Amino acid sequence: MPARAREVAFMKTQARKIARSASDDALNLAAECARRYVRETGARRVAPAPGDVAALAKFHEGFPATPSDPRDVVKMLDELGSPATVATTGSRYFGFVVGGVLPAVMGANWLAGAWDQNACLRVMSPVAAELEDVVLRWICEALGLPAECEGGLVTCATAANFTALAAARYALLAKSGWNVAEDGMFGAPPIQVVVGGEVHAW
């Protein structure tokens, strides 16, 4: 191999090593920051201080013309972002039910981020499809539903409520002899929906 080709190959190898090292450092830094956040969040106030919220303005910068060091990105997210969070995982928070900081959940979330799967079809992610099947079976068991029940995982509570209402509408209209899939919604029998005074905002 000519000297120039050897030099180019060596430089490419070194560049890959540097990139891998920076990537490893960024991931280690993120894990360190996450562990510290989990340890300390119980001792802080639930709402971020006004100064921490104001500091978020530092995120607004021009679109970078060159790549950023991933360590700098993680460091900036931690320094500006972590103080400006709502401490939903702390002992003083009594709002929404959250559980994403449980060790098994956080570890699984990190793995899911590393896997970066497109989970819309089994052929695109066998593991995501299999885990969805397991979760849906567990839900049926926990709620005492028949084993033949079908289900699906959606993106959020709003999508879940919307899906449930659509399914309920379909079932109620079917009991009235109306097939939504074939007949559409125009002219369908009216359905009365009863909600409480504290119905979900969506």
Side-chain angles (χ1 to χ4, degrees):
M1 179 183 291
R4 177 59 182 162
R6 284 198 303 270
E7 182 182 346
V8 170
F10 174 78
M11 291 173 62
K12 286 182 178 178
T13 301
Q14 291 302 108
R16 282 193 294 269
K17 286 181 180 178
I18 292 171
R20 278 197 300 269
S21 176
S23 177
D24 287 346
D25 288 348
L27 294 176
N28 290 332
L29 177 60
E32 178 186 327
C33 294
R35 288 190 186 99
R36 185 178 64 251
Y37 181 86
V38 169
R39 282 195 310 268
E40 298 175 358
T41 192
R44 55 164 277 199
R45 55 185 283 171
V46 171
D52 293 326
V53 175
L56 294 176
K58 295 177 183 175
F59 279 130
H60 295 271
E61 55 185 36
F63 184 77
T66 58
S68 300
D69 187 317
R71 293 164 293 198
D72 292 339
V73 174
V74 172
K75 185 177 179 182
M76 185 177 185
L77 283 171
D78 181 50
E79 290 179 351
L80 297 180
S82 291
T85 60
V86 174
T88 57
T89 59
S91 58
R92 296 179 174 89
Y93 181 81
F94 297 98
F96 296 105
V97 179
V98 291
V101 77
L102 297 173
V105 179
M106 188 183 301
N109 193 10
W110 289 351
L111 264 181
W115 288 349
D116 195 25
Q117 298 289 281
N118 186 331
C120 69
L121 298 171
R122 185 172 294 271
V123 69
M124 299 178 75
S125 180
V127 65
E130 199 67 28
L131 291 176
E132 181 174 354
D133 289 344
V134 171
V135 168
L136 292 173
R137 188 180 71 249
W138 283 357
I139 291 173
C140 288
E141 291 175 6
L143 298 179
L145 298 172
E148 63 272 15
C149 278
E150 297 289 342
L153 301 182
V154 294
T155 55
C156 62
T158 295
N161 288 329
F162 183 82
T163 303
L165 275 180
R169 180 187 67 185
Y170 186 95
L172 287 174
L173 288 177
K175 286 182 179 179
S176 300
W178 188 274
N179 188 318
V180 174
E182 294 181 3
D183 303 325
M185 286 301 301
F186 289 106
I191 296 176
Q192 191 172 32
V193 179
V194 180
V195 297
E198 297 181 359
V199 65
H200 194 280
W202 79 270

